């Protein structure tokens, strides 16, 4: 059913593009609005969404949407992981476009842009050029080139001047640096497993301090900045209206209970590891099945990080300091722990692994990469198993 809906949606976009054509009729009576939808419940909706709405003199009301993608495209998931995701710019009838977000219970805000007739013509012409078949596809980038940054650049180009933005909402908390990762964490706060995956896959490339313009990768952040934005000494927005007056987080899921969150799950896991390790030390024998499984999972995760760091073209996946901890070498105890002649290999690995993890924990404060708090119990569990193996098997 989902595939059918997506197919029908894309067919409607194509039909509307063809039927609407390129009737470049921007005039003094054309008005342009910057529309922002606040977060929805799906993970790809958590920072919100942006579009530009154009009201033509002939009665057409068009939403220029830079966030259209085809999940059914060949190798979509592989290409998304690799960083080769292609999005499209497409025109859509405005009322159905807005009703979709209202139906999802999302806050919806529109800002009328303060444009001269010439600026309006430039912007509309650029938008109409962008949705042509030969121009509409672009290489999507989560933080640098997305559904919010593209239309904002189009507006700035039409204005012929740089847009000065007021302080971003996240800047109000002086204790939290304004970084890509911290903005993500704010909007993913009720989705800790999703953020856990991001913190695992993305390295230090999202941890440097960013400026207000870079913070606009999150449409919900941009929405709060637009009313006070200026180009030169003139305001960018002449009027703001709320199209669906609900709370900014009205559509997102409820907070994940602690025991079901990564923190809860992995601290419980650490307690289990403590109990198992005490049992192993008491009987002077290693639970091979557990270590093989545990380090095997870490090794598989290390293979994923290897792909992201060395194969993926995502800008933020490398460098990733987690590679010191999670890498394919974790397979060594998984394999050699079962071999009679593999004992010395595992002993050597576990010694090096323990030292590396200890140094990583000691130095993490000074590293340029922020760690997910749920990593700590996993690292401690791994150190404990390494130490236990050394204690039991070293003679």
């Amino acid at each position: 059913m989902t595939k059918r809906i997506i197919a029908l949606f894309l067919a409607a976009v194509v039909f509307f593009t063809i039927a609407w054509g390129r009737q470049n009729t921007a005039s003094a009576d054309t008005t342009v609005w910057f529309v922002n939808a606040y977060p929805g419940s799906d993970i790809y909706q958590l920072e919100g969404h942006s579009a530009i709405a154009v009201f033509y003199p002939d009665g057409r009301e068009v939403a220029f949407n830079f966030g259209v993608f085809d999940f059914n495209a060949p190798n979509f998931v592989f290409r998304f992981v690799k960083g080769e995701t292609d999005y499209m710019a497409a025109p859509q009838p405005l009322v159905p476009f807005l009703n979709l977000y209202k139906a999802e219970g999302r806050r919806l805000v529109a800002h009328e842009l303060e444009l001269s007739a010439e600026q309006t013509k430039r912007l509309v012409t650029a938008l109409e050029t962008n949705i042509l078949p030969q121009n509409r596809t672009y290489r999507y980038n989560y933080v640098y080139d997305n559904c919010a940054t593209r239309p904002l650049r189009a507006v700035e180009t039409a204005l012929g001047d740089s847009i000065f933005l007021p302080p971003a909402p996240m800047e109000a908390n002086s204790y939290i640096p304004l970084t890509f990762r911290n903005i993500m964490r704010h909007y993913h706060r009720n989705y800790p497993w999703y953020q856990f995956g991001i913190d695992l896959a993305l390295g230090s490339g999202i941890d440097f301090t960013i400026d207000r313009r870079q913070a606009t990768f999150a449409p919900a952040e941009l929405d709060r900045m637009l009313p006070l934005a200026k180009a030169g000494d003139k305001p960018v927005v002449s009027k703001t209206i709320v199209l669906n007056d609900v709370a900014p987080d009205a559509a997102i899921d409820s907070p994940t209970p602690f025991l079901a969150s990564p923190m809860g799950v992995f601290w419980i896991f650490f307690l289990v590891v403590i109990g198992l390790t005490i049992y192993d030390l008491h009987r002077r024998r290693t639970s091979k099945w557990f270590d093989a499984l545990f380090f095997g999972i870490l090794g598989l995760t290390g293979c994923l990080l290897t792909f992201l760091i060395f194969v993926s073209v995502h800008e933020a996946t490398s460098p990733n300091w987690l590679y010191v901890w999670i890498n394919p070498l974790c397979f060594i105890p998984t394999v050699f722990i079962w071999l009679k002649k593999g004992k010395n290999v595992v002993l050597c690995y576990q010694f090096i692994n323990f030292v590396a993890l200890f140094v990583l924990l000691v130095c993490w404060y000074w590293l340029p990469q922020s760690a997910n708090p749920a990593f700590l119990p996993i690292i401690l569990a791994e150190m404990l198993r390494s130490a236990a193996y050394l204690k039991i098997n070293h003679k």
Side-chain angles (χ1 to χ4, degrees):
M1 180 62 72
T2 301
K3 291 184 177 180
R4 184 176 298 177
I5 292 173
I6 293 173
L8 289 173
F9 170 76
L10 291 172
V13 169
V14 173
F15 175 80
F16 183 69
T17 303
I18 296 172
W20 175 60
R22 207 169 163 252
Q23 307 170 43
N24 193 339
T25 55
S27 69
D29 297 323
T30 302
T31 57
V32 183
W33 294 70
F34 204 106
V35 181
N36 292 311
Y38 276 68
S41 59
D42 291 329
I43 57 174
Y44 64 88
Q45 301 173 330
L46 292 180
E47 278 89 20
H49 185 57
S50 297
I52 294 180
V54 178
F55 293 80
Y56 291 89
D58 60 8
R60 285 177 297 140
E61 299 174 351
V62 181
F64 288 87
N65 183 1
F66 288 81
V68 178
F69 64 91
D70 183 4
F71 188 79
N72 294 315
N75 303 313
F76 178 87
V77 174
F78 174 78
R79 295 189 64 188
F80 183 85
V81 173
K82 191 179 179 184
E84 295 180 349
T85 310
D86 290 333
Y87 273 44
M88 293 183 290
Q92 296 174 242
L94 180 61
V95 173
F97 174 81
L98 298 178
N99 286 342
L100 174 65
Y101 296 102
K102 291 179 180 179
E104 292 175 342
R106 298 165 66 174
R107 183 176 179 82
L108 199 58
V109 181
H111 308 273
E112 185 176 9
L113 299 178
E114 183 72 51
L115 302 172
S116 67
E118 181 59 32
Q119 290 169 337
T120 299
K121 184 177 180 180
R122 281 204 300 266
L123 177 56
V124 173
T125 299
L127 294 171
E128 292 173 337
T129 300
N130 262 281
I131 56 91
L132 291 174
Q134 65 269 29
N135 301 328
R136 66 188 177 196
T137 302
Y138 71 97
R139 183 55 50 85
Y140 173 84
N141 184 294
Y142 185 23
V143 294
Y144 291 114
D145 198 358
N146 64 17
C147 67
T149 60
R150 280 232 158 192
L152 184 63
R153 281 200 301 270
V155 172
E156 190 170 57
T157 300
L159 290 169
D161 201 351
S162 298
I163 294 177
F164 173 80
L165 296 165
M170 284 288 292
E171 288 186 74
N173 191 339
S174 59
Y175 297 100
I176 301 178
L178 189 65
T179 67
F180 288 125
R181 195 187 304 271
N182 284 336
I183 292 177
M184 293 174 196
R185 284 175 175 169
H186 172 73
Y187 288 101
H188 304 166
R189 60 191 180 278
N190 288 6
Y191 298 72
W193 285 104
Y194 178 51
Q195 186 59 45
F196 179 85
I198 288 178
D199 289 339
L200 187 67
L202 301 185
S204 57
I206 59 171
D207 283 306
F208 61 89
T209 302
I210 61 175
D211 58 31
R212 297 166 187 173
R213 182 57 176 269
Q214 290 170 309
T216 63
F217 86 94
E221 290 289 297
L222 171 61
D223 183 73
R224 294 181 176 97
M225 291 189 275
L226 272 178
L228 297 178
K230 290 187 176 182
D233 59 350
K234 296 181 180 179
V236 173
V237 170
S238 62
K239 180 170 60 177
T240 295
I241 59 174
V242 179
L243 302 176
N244 196 33
D245 193 7
V246 297
D249 58 355
I252 66 174
D253 292 343
S254 301
T256 300
F258 176 77
L259 292 180
S261 70
M263 281 285 285
V265 168
F266 289 122
W267 277 114
I268 292 173
F269 172 75
F270 178 60
L271 294 177
V272 171
V273 171
I274 290 177
L276 181 64
T277 303
I278 292 173
Y279 173 70
D280 284 354
L281 292 171
H282 178 73
R283 67 192 184 111
R284 300 292 299 173
R285 186 182 301 172
T286 302
S287 295
K288 295 182 180 180
W289 63 270
F290 179 83
D291 284 351
L293 179 62
F294 182 28
F295 284 93
I297 293 173
L298 293 174
L300 287 172
T301 308
C303 290
L304 174 60
L305 289 190
T306 301
F307 175 85
L308 291 173
I309 293 171
F310 299 105
V311 179
S312 169
V313 294
H314 281 294
E315 296 181 15
T317 56
S318 180
N320 189 338
W321 287 91
L322 295 183
Y323 206 60
V324 174
W325 159 42
I326 305 177
N327 56 67
L329 293 177
C330 294
F331 281 127
I332 289 177
T334 299
V335 175
F336 285 89
I337 201 170
W338 302 106
L339 305 178
K340 289 184 178 180
K341 295 183 179 180
K343 181 179 176 181
N344 288 335
V345 176
V346 179
L347 281 170
C348 182
Y349 169 81
Q350 295 292 23
F351 176 77
I352 295 173
N353 187 53
F354 182 88
V355 172
L357 293 176
F358 179 79
V359 172
L360 182 66
L361 287 180
V362 170
C363 297
W364 203 294
Y365 178 82
W366 293 278
L367 295 180
Q369 182 172 334
S370 178
N372 191 294
F375 292 161
L376 180 59
I378 306 174
I379 295 175
L380 292 176
E382 189 177 351
M383 291 179 67
L384 189 58
R385 293 310 296 174
S386 293
Y389 189 90
L390 293 169
K391 175 69 175 177
I392 294 170
N393 294 281
H394 180 66
K395 294 181 181 180

